[in-house]
Amino acid sequence: MNQKRQTSRDYQELLRRYRANGTRELIGLPPTISTRRSRSARLRQSDMDEALRGGTGTYQKLENGVLIPSPELFLRVSRTLGFSDHHLRIAHLDLFKTDPVLTAGPVSPHWRRWANSHTEMAVVCSPAGEVIAGNDAFAAMFPSGEPPANMTEWALLSDEAREDVLQNWERDWAPFLLADLRLALARYPDDPALQKLRHAVQNDPRTSHIEDAPTGIGDEARQLRHAERGLVTVRMLTSHTSDVTLVMLLLESPSSTESPSSTDEATLPEEEG
């Protein structure tokens, strides 16, 4: 029965593009007699069925939009075809309206320039809170003059943060930090540093009984004890890319009654995920 072909969706166009540029060898299959004799070894739909060990015609139905795959199947297909993370996100959003779970990629060496371009306290962290780059204003916050190796670990588990620096830690900081940790674990479930943090938090006498807040750290006013400035009020701005978390701590003036206007706020990249 002839059916009118519908306009292809993004994920279908990407499947066709990557298959057109693929070969049996690239997806881990041995060459056939026909591909050895021919200069054109274009990857066929039946080759994808073989690689995925699915039923005959399964991949054809997927590429033609007849079969809507599960997220797990689509991740297998996209990885087999060698999708870039960028194209995987586009296809996953097209199919499921959500971002896929990705492994954090390599970190740009230029984040230090971003941090140093601000006068407010600015730091760049990995998804697990490992400090990648921070400016001098950020380092000056700490009694030692040096930031910790991992901000999440420091903020949730260190005596310095809980007893001295982060004021009203159990009420104003910990529940929201735990909410951010929970979200990071959902985004990067296989990250060993995040798994280690979860284990430490679950087994710590103080954090183990604190319930995570309904939302993560926002720009609400909170107090901390700055090593040079003493007791100050700050607002914490965060932005997530696929590989890092950008954090800026805005100092409130004593007379401020609303969020301070800062040109630094406008330079935070838009959230990707």
Side-chain angles (χ1 to χ4, degrees), residues 10 67 107 148 161:
D10 283 339
L67 171 67
V107 176

Side-chain angles (χ1 to χ4, degrees), residues 103 128 130 185 188-199:
T103 303
E130 297 147 324
L185 281 160
Y188 306 98
D190 300 322
D191 188 306
L194 280 167
Q195 293 295 336
K196 182 180 178 181
L197 269 174
R198 175 163 64 180
H199 182 268

Side-chain angles (χ1 to χ4, degrees), residues 39-96:
R39 291 185 178 182
S40 175
R42 180 175 176 176
L43 191 62
R44 300 169 300 177
Q45 292 174 333
S46 57
D47 295 328
M48 287 298 297
D49 286 335
E50 182 181 348
L52 296 168
R53 299 181 181 180
T56 301
T58 298
Y59 178 81
Q60 181 186 40
K61 293 177 183 176
L62 195 159
E63 190 176 281
N64 291 340
V66 177
L67 171 67
I68 301 300
S70 66
E72 293 77 14
L73 174 58
F74 189 74
L75 286 175
R76 284 179 57 208
V77 171
S78 62
R79 291 310 188 196
T80 301
L81 287 170
F83 273 39
S84 69
D85 283 352
H86 184 76
H87 281 156
L88 174 55
R89 290 189 69 199
I90 292 172
H92 203 276
L93 284 164
D94 182 31
L95 267 169
F96 311 112

Side-chain angles (χ1 to χ4, degrees), residues 221-223 229-235 250-258 260:
R222 292 178 173 84
Q223 287 194 319
R229 297 171 179 261
L231 193 62
V232 296
T233 299
V234 298
R235 294 183 185 271
L250 302 177
L251 278 171
E252 291 266 76
S253 62
S255 60
S256 177
T257 58
E258 58 182 11

Side-chain angles (χ1 to χ4, degrees), residues 54-269:
T56 301
T58 298
Y59 178 81
Q60 181 186 40
K61 293 177 183 176
L62 195 159
E63 190 176 281
N64 291 340
V66 177
L67 171 67
I68 301 300
S70 66
E72 293 77 14
L73 174 58
F74 189 74
L75 286 175
R76 284 179 57 208
V77 171
S78 62
R79 291 310 188 196
T80 301
L81 287 170
F83 273 39
S84 69
D85 283 352
H86 184 76
H87 281 156
L88 174 55
R89 290 189 69 199
I90 292 172
H92 203 276
L93 284 164
D94 182 31
L95 267 169
F96 311 112
K97 310 307 178 189
T98 61
D99 274 309
V101 175
L102 299 174
T103 303
V107 176
S108 169
H110 304 297
W111 281 120
R112 183 167 297 282
R113 288 181 61 189
W114 177 87
N116 288 336
S117 69
H118 300 288
T119 56
E120 301 280 0
M121 295 180 281
V123 61
V124 183
C125 298
S126 73
E130 297 147 324
V131 174
I132 296 166
N135 61 5
D136 290 341
F138 175 72
M141 182 182 90
F142 300 93
S144 66
E146 293 289 335
N150 187 302
M151 277 298 297
T152 304
E153 181 180 34
W154 173 84
L156 283 171
L157 299 170
S158 76
D159 288 338
E160 181 179 75
R162 300 193 293 199
E163 302 295 339
D164 184 35
V165 179
L166 304 181
Q167 303 296 295
N168 300 310
W169 172 83
E170 191 160 338
R171 182 194 69 192
D172 293 345
W173 292 89
F176 303 94
L177 292 165
L178 288 170
D180 280 332
L181 175 59
R182 189 170 187 173
L183 180 58
L185 281 160
R187 281 175 167 154
Y188 306 98
D190 300 322
D191 188 306
L194 280 167
Q195 293 295 336
K196 182 180 178 181
L197 269 174
R198 175 163 64 180
H199 182 268
V201 165
Q202 289 175 340
N203 289 278
D204 180 80
R206 294 191 63 182
T207 54
S208 60
H209 75 278
I210 299 176
E211 186 175 285
D212 59 292
T215 184
I217 287 281
D219 65 353
E220 298 85 2
R222 292 178 173 84
Q223 287 194 319
L224 62 80
R225 190 173 301 281
H226 193 285
E228 296 180 356
R229 297 171 179 261
L231 193 62
V232 296
T233 299
V234 298
R235 294 183 185 271
M236 191 168 173
L237 303 181
T238 60
S239 180
H240 301 277
T241 75
S242 58
D243 303 317
V244 299
T245 298
L246 311 177
V247 181
M248 189 172 290
L249 292 157
L250 302 177
L251 278 171
E252 291 266 76
S253 62
S255 60
S256 177
T257 58
E258 58 182 11
S259 298
S261 175
S262 171
T263 54
D264 283 345
E265 284 187 71
T267 61
L268 284 171

